[in-house]
């Protein structure tokens, strides 16, 4: 652990991760300035569907996800923010390797004390009558899961960060430089870059290369017959019932330019997901209400970049479409790392690619 404590800290990015880091830094006594080039949440965060779970198979992922859910629950009830408990169900319709993978995942998650179990088609029908389950070969269910409103999370954490003394500046693009760490020419003890899919570009301007690739993520939402809460995943499609009578679907991801992407999902995607929702959800006759798209960022090994990447320069990015659900823990870990309270997560070391 570093002996020196950084006091004056800049955070670049006013999404879920940057706002959480700003709040955790300020509430621990740091003098924090957050730079957001647009409005708070204007990047990927406001576009997230709001699904959150702790069903991971690796110990480092479990630790982050468990802490994130714990904090979501602790924040729930403050302002408009709520954590709505909703089980997460994922399944396949083919046997062989795909079914074996689910059984193996569930076993590994249980090894890490996650509240997950295997369900067969009959059990799914009993618990989620809204789902057509006849063709389901293997399924896992994570009981410690839920949904959050990403905009309410942004509003809450921005209010908490300001209350703790952070100077949150919107409409203020940041340019980062090093030796010493600086933002827009102003020197800091540490700079935290949590600029989502733009992180690679922000760091490159400071002369630091990280392997972050921006990718597109798309979602559709549709009203279905109200039923018990359920969230299901099938291959690259997600049906996520996030409030009474609605479901959402997502398709696979593709490379994207974060400064030039279409915020609406295309017609072919809408038709495909409508067909899939109708196939899976009983009485889902209503048309898709809304389809939208946004950008996420991925790394070569699918793990995020979390920690110090150069002297006094920290990064939290590369969430592969799972950044909102991990933000409460990721921002906290960044704050602890910057202030020397705790070492970073070795597996997420942002310098691991050399
Ligand atoms: C359609 C869709 C659905 C999703 N659904 C889910 C879900 O259900 N659950 C989940 O966990 N995740 C989901 N995600 C992923 C999730 O949205 C992201 O992983 C998460 O929001 C990342 O948060 P962030 O704070 O890292 O980045 P962002 O929210 O992108 O914030 C980065 C901020 O940095 C700002 N910025 C960029 N450059 C600069 C600069 N130079 N100076 C100042 N500011 C700058 C941007 O304007 C932006 O506001 C979804 C994503 C999409 C697109």
């Amino acid at each position: 652990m570093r002996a020196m404590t950084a006091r004056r800290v800049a955070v670049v990015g006013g999404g879920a991760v940057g706002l959480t880091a700003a709040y955790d830094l300020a509430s621990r006594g740091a003098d924090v300035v957050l730079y957001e080039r647009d409005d708070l949440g204007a990047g990927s965060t406001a576009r997230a569907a709001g699904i959150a779970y702790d069903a991971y198979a690796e110990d480092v992922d479990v630790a982050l996800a468990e802490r994130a859910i714990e904090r979501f629950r602790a924040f729930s009830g403050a302002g408009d923010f709520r954590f709505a408990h909703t089980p997460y169900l994922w399944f396949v319709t083919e046997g062989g390797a795909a079914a074996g993978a689910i059984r193996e995942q569930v076993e590994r998650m249980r090894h890490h004390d996650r509240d997950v179990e295997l369900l067969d088609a009959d059990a799914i029908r009993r618990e989620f009558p809204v789902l057509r389950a006849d063709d389901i070969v293997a399924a896992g269910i994570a009981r410690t899961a839920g949904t959050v409103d990403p905009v309410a999370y942004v509003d809450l954490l921005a209010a908490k960060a300001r209350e703790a003394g952070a100077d949150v500046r919107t409409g203020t693009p940041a340019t980062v430089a090093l030796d010493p760490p600086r933002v827009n020419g102003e020197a800091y003890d540490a700079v935290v870059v949590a600029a989502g899919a733009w992180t690679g570009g922000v760091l490159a301007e400071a002369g630091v290369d990280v392997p972050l690739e921006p990718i597109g993520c798309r979602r559709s939402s549709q009203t279905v017959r109200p039923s018990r809460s359920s969230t299901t995943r099938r291959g690259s499609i997600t049906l996520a019932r996030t409030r009474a009578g609605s479901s959402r679907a997502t398709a696979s991801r593709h490379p994207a330019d974060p400064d030039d992407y279409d915020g609406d999902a295309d017609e072919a995607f809408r038709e495909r997901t409508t067909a899939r929702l109708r196939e899976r959800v009983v009485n889902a006759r209503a048309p898709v209400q809304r389809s939208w798209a946004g950008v996420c960022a991925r790394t070569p090994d699918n793990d995020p970049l979390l920690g110090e990447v150069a002297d006094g320069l920290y990064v939290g990015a590369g969430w592969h479409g799972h950044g909102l659900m991990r933000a409460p823990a990721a921002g906290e870990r960044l704050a602890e790392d910057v202030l020397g309270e705790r070492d970073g997560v070795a597996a997420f070391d942002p310098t691991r690619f050399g």
Side-chain angles (χ1 to χ4, degrees):
M1 266 196 218
R2 275 169 296 280
M4 197 198 82
T5 299
R7 300 290 301 166
R8 208 171 132 62
V9 185
V11 177
V12 178
V17 177
L19 284 165
T20 310
Y23 162 61
D24 282 308
L25 283 159
S27 61
R28 286 165 165 78
D31 185 1
V32 179
V33 180
L34 181 141
Y35 297 82
E36 166 54 53
R37 67 174 189 174
D38 202 324
D39 292 327
L40 299 176
S44 303
T45 296
R47 296 186 161 265
I51 301 164
Y53 52 74
D54 68 349
Y56 288 93
E58 300 293 337
D59 53 358
V60 282
D61 296 315
V62 167
L64 214 59
E66 182 177 35
R67 177 64 181 146
I69 299 269
E70 186 180 42
R71 292 195 94 193
F72 275 142
R73 284 187 158 144
F75 292 146
S76 189
D80 291 335
F81 181 75
R82 301 283 178 278
F83 176 81
H85 174 249
T86 310
Y88 181 87
L89 177 74
W90 74 108
F91 59 86
V92 292
T93 52
E94 317 90 41
I102 289 199
R103 292 184 192 110
E104 191 197 330
Q105 284 163 2
V106 167
E107 196 180 311
R108 289 173 66 198
M109 290 167 185
R110 287 174 73 90
H111 176 73
H112 293 301
D113 293 329
R114 297 309 87 200
D115 188 2
V116 295
E117 59 191 286
L118 291 168
L119 288 189
D120 62 20
D122 284 342
I124 294 171
R125 265 192 297 269
R126 275 196 303 276
E127 190 163 351
F128 307 108
V130 72
L131 290 183
R132 290 204 172 89
D134 300 358
D135 57 345
I136 292 178
V137 174
I141 186 161
R143 303 278 176 196
T144 310
T147 58
V148 298
D149 175 350
V151 174
Y153 186 78
V154 164
D155 290 347
L156 178 66
L157 270 291
K160 287 174 89 65
R162 285 187 167 119
E163 209 176 296
D167 175 3
V168 177
R169 302 178 186 171
T170 55
T172 312
T175 302
V176 177
L178 289 175
D179 302 323
R182 275 164 289 152
V183 174
N184 299 348
E186 213 172 321
Y188 289 92
D189 294 315
V191 173
V192 175
V193 179
W198 295 267
T199 299
V202 173
L203 293 178
E205 278 183 352
V208 176
D209 282 329
V210 289
L212 267 181
E213 185 188 20
I215 50 169
C217 300
R218 296 176 292 185
R219 290 282 192 280
S220 285
S221 70
Q222 174 187 47
T223 298
V224 298
R225 192 180 70 169
S227 70
R228 297 173 68 179
S229 296
S230 64
T231 303
T232 70
R233 186 166 78 186
R234 171 182 176 252
S236 64
I237 307 166
T238 302
L239 306 176
R241 184 170 169 281
T242 52
R243 60 178 201 280
S246 82
S247 65
R248 293 179 182 183
T250 179
S252 56
R253 292 146 187 162
H254 49 88
D257 177 350
D259 287 317
D260 182 22
Y261 70 90
D262 186 355
D264 296 321
D266 55 71
E267 196 51 42
F269 168 77
R270 179 187 285 259
E271 280 171 16
R272 208 166 53 244
T273 51
T274 301
R276 285 170 174 171
L277 285 164
R278 284 183 179 169
E279 172 193 306
R280 184 57 54 199
V281 181
V282 176
N283 285 349
R285 300 202 184 285
V288 163
Q289 290 168 318
R290 189 177 157 233
S291 296
W292 73 100
V295 277
C296 300
R298 71 179 164 205
T299 60
D301 63 3
N302 296 332
D303 279 335
L305 308 179
L306 189 69
E308 192 169 14
V309 68
D311 215 9
L313 182 63
Y314 294 75
V315 58
W319 306 108
H320 289 254
H322 295 85
L324 176 67
M325 68 176 80
R326 300 200 255 183
E332 184 182 49
R333 290 302 293 243
L334 280 166
E336 291 169 341
D337 196 3
V338 168
L339 299 177
E341 292 176 4
R342 191 171 173 182
D343 284 333
V345 183
F348 301 157
D349 182 345
T351 63
R352 67 186 179 276
F353 298 104

